[in-house]
Amino acid sequence: MASRDFKNVQALERQVKILAFTVSALDGTPVATPSTGVTSITEGSGDYTITLADKYSSLLCAQVTLGATDGDCDLSQAHVQSEDVNGAKTVVIDTAGTAAATDRLHVVLYLKNSSVT
């Protein structure tokens, strides 16, 4: 627990939920840290399918940053290819090739709560 007094996030949209995590082991079995809100991550041909624990009304925004702990990232880009947060509870991130062991995906998802229209 941080030793600070954190404030609530405010948005013009109602019931915005934020999931932020780092995906490691991109060249093997991908792992989300922290995994709160994420059920699983699978890889196929440079695409990473993130399965969420809950359904949401919509994906408002996604930020994806690709980086490497060794400072040399072989992949030049990563972006959201598709999403179905209201049905299959998935977000698919496309990378521009095969990831190395040191590459990481930093993901922030801004989602609208499914109980609010």
Side-chain angles (χ1 to χ4, degrees), residues 25-74:
L26 297 180
D27 64 337
T29 303
V31 176
T33 307
S35 62
T36 305
V38 176
T39 302
S40 66
I41 301 175
T42 57
E43 188 274 334
S45 301
D47 293 344
Y48 296 87
T49 301
I50 300 165
T51 303
L52 305 175
D54 303 293
K55 288 184 179 184
Y56 296 90
S57 293
S58 62
L59 175 66
L60 298 173
C61 179
Q63 295 174 316
V64 182
T65 305
L66 185 60
T69 56
D70 64 1
D72 182 26
C73 190
D74 295 331

Side-chain angles (χ1 to χ4, degrees), residues 1-111:
M1 179 92 173
S3 59
R4 298 176 188 239
D5 180 25
F6 285 90
K7 308 297 186 242
N8 291 333
V9 174
Q10 298 200 9
L12 291 175
E13 285 283 343
R14 301 175 100 200
Q15 294 294 319
V16 174
K17 305 302 178 189
I18 302 170
L19 296 180
F21 51 92
T22 298
V23 181
S24 58
L26 297 180
D27 64 337
T29 303
V31 176
T33 307
S35 62
T36 305
V38 176
T39 302
S40 66
I41 301 175
T42 57
E43 188 274 334
S45 301
D47 293 344
Y48 296 87
T49 301
I50 300 165
T51 303
L52 305 175
D54 303 293
K55 288 184 179 184
Y56 296 90
S57 293
S58 62
L59 175 66
L60 298 173
C61 179
Q63 295 174 316
V64 182
T65 305
L66 185 60
T69 56
D70 64 1
D72 182 26
C73 190
D74 295 331
L75 308 178
S76 61
Q77 59 183 317
H79 65 274
V80 174
Q81 178 176 306
S82 63
E83 56 87 12
D84 182 10
V85 297
N86 195 21
K89 304 186 295 188
T90 58
V91 176
V92 179
I93 296 173
D94 181 31
T95 59
T98 304
T102 56
D103 294 341
R104 304 282 185 268
L105 280 172
H106 303 281
V107 181
V108 181
L109 303 175
Y110 297 86
L111 301 143

